[in-house]
């Protein structure tokens, strides 16, 4: 079974769910917060106060929406029938219902605008329910105890300045969503919430159902202290600016985030950093939708012929996880970086149709708890384990140092922590390196037919290494074709330690 067929089926199922699930709401509440400073070094991100007056005492106007004619009792607002346009800086408290209308913000480029949603339901069959055309920054505040809904139409195709307005909420300025109320966004035409600058979410209970991307911030997406329930036909959260320095990143400081996505759960063009929070992500239909990879004779790799990506967390540059409780069920890689990945903490449970965690260059584990069920557990050119508790159940390689980068030599180095690997049957390797394997400390336990396979050297300088329940002081090495030299003599092709095994086919590197 090819990946393409499985993904198409998963996407069709996801789209059918989207067509019926847009009215659902999630429960819970969170406090408002602020912004994250811009920096290339994601570890230095911190939230600072950017909320406008939470008491709304200085409201410029109160706006009552109605299909029969909206009204406003203050300045800075233009009403045209049911439609409303905010034209000046200030705080605007909005309530009421529109079944065929919208709110537009067309303020000055230096103006800060706060829209307080206090029991709002807006559907615009022709375009965004909320269109932020111009402002410096806009704050969408969800009033405590209120439920609010913003939806576009299935056939919405609005444009402005020859550019498609392709979200139920569409902003050309920085957009912050805060407060403690509830918001449901239905992107029936394409996307849910789109910001062409920063998208910051610092509070509220937010449910987004979208045919394509649920939350999109071109320059960045930053989340803290919010409850998000996202159902997306493509990506759950995405930032795609890969041209401007210091942009295109996603930062999750905290919150409770659930994502069901047809493609990637969270995708950052540059850096993706998870500091804390609870993340539950199912991408591409999950591991169960992927073809089974086994290590038999090296024929276990599935052919990736699809242009779609269905990874859990994906970074174009660096992926950093320092805390949180993260559960990923991915059709493709659970965690993925095109550059380097660092895990320093957190509790991670990953089910993956391909790699549990994959980095093209370096993958470093300094701490945390990882429970991985995948074709391959950890894969990079250089895999380093300094600490942490890692448990891997794999159908191909448990840990694999493959030649993914020409700039580095393949290496698996274990300096501490606990690594437990259980392998499936066949030509499967517990730890496989196209270069060296070096164990300096920690506890390593491998259960399987071929515990180690290395093209360079394999050494134990310290720590404890157990193979199939017995401690070893030297690393056995699988021979080309599946055989292994181990305690007791020469193993055959596909054989185990201590004797002649059957021919297992060409081994997988």
């Amino acid at each position: 079974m090819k990946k393409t067929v499985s993904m198409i089926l998963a996407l069709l199922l996801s789209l059918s769910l989207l067509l019926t699930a847009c009215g659902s709401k999630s429960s819970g509440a969170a406090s408002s917060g602020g912004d994250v400073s811009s920096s290339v070094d994601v570890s230095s991100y911190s939230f600072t106060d950017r909320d406008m007056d939470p008491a709304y005492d200085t409201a410029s106007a109160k706006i009552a929406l109605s299909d029969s004619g909206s009204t406003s009792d203050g300045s800075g607002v233009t009403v045209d029938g049911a439609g409303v346009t905010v034209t000046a800086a200030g705080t605007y408290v909005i309530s009421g219902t529109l079944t065929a209308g919208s709110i537009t913000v067309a303020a000055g480029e230096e103006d800060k605008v706060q829209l307080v949603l206090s029991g709002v339901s807006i559907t615009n069959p022709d375009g965004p329910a909320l269109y932020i055309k111009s402002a410096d920054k806009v704050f969408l505040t969800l009033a405590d105890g209120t439920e609010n809904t913003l939806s576009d139409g299935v056939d919405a195709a609005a444009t402005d300045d020859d550019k498609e307005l392709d979200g139920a909420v569409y902003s050309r300025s920085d957009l912050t969503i805060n407060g403690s109320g509830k918001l449901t966004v239905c992107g029936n035409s394409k996307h849910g919430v789109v910001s062409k600058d920063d998208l910051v979410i610092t509070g509220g209970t937010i449910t987004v159902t979208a045919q394509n991307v649920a939350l999109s911030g071109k320059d960045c997406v930053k989340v803290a202290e919010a409850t998000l329930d996202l159902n997306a036909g493509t990506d759950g959260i995405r930032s795609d600016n890969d041209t401007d320095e210091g942009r295109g990143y996603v930062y999750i400081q905290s919150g409770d985030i659930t994502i069901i996505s047809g493609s990637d759960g969270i995708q950052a063009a540059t850096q993706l950093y998870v500091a804390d929070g609870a993340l539950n992500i199912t991408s591409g239909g999950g591991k169960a939708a992927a073809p089974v990879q086994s290590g038999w004779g090296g024929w276990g790799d599935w052919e990736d012929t699809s242009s779609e990506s269905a990874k859990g967390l994906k970074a174009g540059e660096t992926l950093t996880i320092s805390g949180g409780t993260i559960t990923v069920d991915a059709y493709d890689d659970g965690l993925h970086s095109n550059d380097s990945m660092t895990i320093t903490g957190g509790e991670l449970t990953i089910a993956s149709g391909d790699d549990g965690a994959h980095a093209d260059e370096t993958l470093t584990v300094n701490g945390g708890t990882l429970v991985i069920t995948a074709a391959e557990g950890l894969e990079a050119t250089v895999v380093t384990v300094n600490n942490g508790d890692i448990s891997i159940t794999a159908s191909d390689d448990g840990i694999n140092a493959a030649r993914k980068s020409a700039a580095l030599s393949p290496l698996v180095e274990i300096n501490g922590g606990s690594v437990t690997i259980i392998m499936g049957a066949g030509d499967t390797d517990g730890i496989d390196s196209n270069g060296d394997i070096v164990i300096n400390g920690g506890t390593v336990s491998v259960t399987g037919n071929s515990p180690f396979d290395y093209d360079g050297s394999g050494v134990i300088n310290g720590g404890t290494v157990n193979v199939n329940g017995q401690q070893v002081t030297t690393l056995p090495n699988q021979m080309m074709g599946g055989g292994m030299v181990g305690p007791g003599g020469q193993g055959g092709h596909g054989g185990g330690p201590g004797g002649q095994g059957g021919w297992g086919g060409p081994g997988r590197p």
Side-chain angles (χ1 to χ4, degrees):
M1 180 173 61
K2 302 294 186 182
K3 176 181 178 183
T4 308
V5 175
S6 300
M7 179 167 286
I8 290 173
L9 292 174
L11 288 174
L12 288 174
L13 176 61
S14 176
L15 288 174
S16 68
L17 291 172
L18 291 172
L19 292 174
T20 59
C22 195
S24 64
K25 291 180 173 65
S26 60
S27 61
S31 61
S32 61
D35 183 29
V36 180
S37 59
S38 298
S39 172
V40 175
D41 180 8
V42 293
S43 65
S44 68
Y45 292 165
S46 62
F47 278 78
T48 57
D49 186 13
R50 261 185 54 177
D51 292 344
M52 296 185 72
D53 183 5
Y56 326 135
D57 293 335
T58 58
S60 302
K62 293 182 179 180
I63 300 170
L65 304 175
S66 174
D67 288 335
S68 60
S70 299
T71 61
S72 171
D73 66 356
S75 60
V77 179
T78 300
V79 178
D80 183 8
V84 172
T85 300
V86 174
T87 60
T91 298
Y92 304 85
V93 181
I94 307 169
S95 61
T97 298
L98 290 178
T99 60
S102 63
I103 295 177
T104 300
V105 175
E109 295 298 329
E110 302 299 322
D111 288 344
K112 292 179 174 58
V113 176
Q114 182 179 32
L115 305 178
V116 181
L117 301 188
S118 184
V120 168
S121 178
I122 302 175
T123 299
N124 183 5
D126 301 320
L130 171 60
Y131 173 34
I132 300 167
K133 181 175 183 178
S134 59
D136 177 27
K137 304 177 189 300
V138 173
F139 304 86
L140 193 62
T141 301
L142 311 176
D144 186 29
T146 67
E147 297 188 13
N148 308 276
T149 302
L150 302 173
S151 306
D152 64 2
V154 174
D155 299 320
T159 60
D160 190 9
D161 296 334
D162 295 326
K163 293 184 179 180
E164 183 181 9
L165 308 181
D166 53 5
V169 176
Y170 188 95
S171 177
R172 292 184 171 179
S173 305
D174 291 342
L175 174 62
T176 295
I177 302 175
N178 58 29
S180 56
K182 296 181 181 180
L183 173 64
T184 297
V185 177
C186 298
N188 296 309
S189 175
K190 198 169 184 181
H191 306 309
V193 179
V194 177
S195 172
K196 305 309 288 184
D197 285 321
D198 295 0
L199 175 59
V200 182
I201 301 177
T202 62
T205 299
I206 301 168
T207 300
V208 181
T209 304
Q211 295 299 312
N212 284 39
V213 181
L215 300 176
S216 176
K218 182 176 179 62
D219 287 348
C220 62
V221 178
K222 320 165 205 179
V223 179
E225 300 181 20
T227 298
L228 305 181
D229 189 353
L230 312 179
N231 197 321
T234 57
D235 298 336
I237 298 175
R238 181 175 73 187
S239 182
D240 58 4
N241 187 344
D242 59 359
T243 57
D244 296 331
E245 185 177 358
R247 303 281 88 189
Y249 64 87
V250 175
Y251 174 53
I252 309 296
Q253 188 194 60
S254 59
D256 189 342
I257 302 171
T258 300
I259 299 174
I260 299 175
S261 62
S263 300
D264 298 324
I266 301 178
Q267 179 190 164
T270 57
Q271 298 167 324
L272 171 53
Y273 180 35
V274 179
D276 203 348
L279 280 68
N280 193 324
I281 299 172
T282 302
S283 61
K287 181 180 185 296
V292 176
Q293 294 190 60
S294 68
W296 285 103
W299 304 113
D301 277 346
W302 39 291
E303 184 180 355
D304 186 355
T305 59
S306 173
S307 60
E308 294 293 335
S309 173
K311 300 172 174 62
L313 302 178
K314 177 182 175 182
E317 294 178 3
T318 60
L319 171 57
T320 304
I321 298 173
S322 62
T325 302
I326 301 171
T327 301
V328 175
D329 185 5
Y331 178 96
D332 199 339
D333 297 342
L335 312 177
H336 180 95
S337 169
N338 291 342
D339 191 334
S340 62
M341 183 187 310
T342 303
I343 300 171
T344 62
E347 298 181 6
L348 286 70
T349 303
I350 301 171
S352 167
D354 196 7
D355 301 335
H358 171 105
D360 284 355
E361 296 197 355
T362 63
L363 194 167
T364 304
V365 180
N366 293 322
T369 300
L370 286 75
V371 178
I372 298 174
T373 304
E376 294 191 335
L378 306 177
E379 181 178 65
T381 305
V382 175
V383 179
T384 305
V385 177
N386 294 316
N387 207 339
D389 189 348
I390 303 171
S391 177
I392 297 171
T393 301
S395 59
D396 197 344
D397 296 333
I399 298 177
N400 186 19
R403 296 185 183 276
K404 302 296 181 180
S405 170
L408 300 170
S409 297
L411 170 66
V412 175
E413 182 176 3
I414 299 174
N415 300 311
S418 174
V419 178
T420 302
I421 300 173
I422 299 175
M423 300 306 303
D427 180 22
T428 60
D429 303 320
I431 299 179
D432 184 351
S433 176
N434 291 153
D436 299 337
I437 299 175
V438 179
I439 300 176
N440 296 315
T443 301
V444 179
S445 299
V446 181
T447 301
N449 184 57
S450 170
F452 301 96
D453 182 5
Y454 47 92
D455 295 342
S457 62
V459 296
I460 301 175
N461 295 321
T464 301
V465 180
N466 296 311
V467 173
N468 295 322
Q470 295 184 340
Q471 185 173 349
V472 299
T473 56
T474 60
L475 292 185
N477 189 18
Q478 179 187 26
M479 298 176 62
M480 182 178 295
M484 182 180 69
V485 178
Q490 177 71 38
H493 292 290
Q500 179 72 31
W503 185 76
R508 186 183 184 279

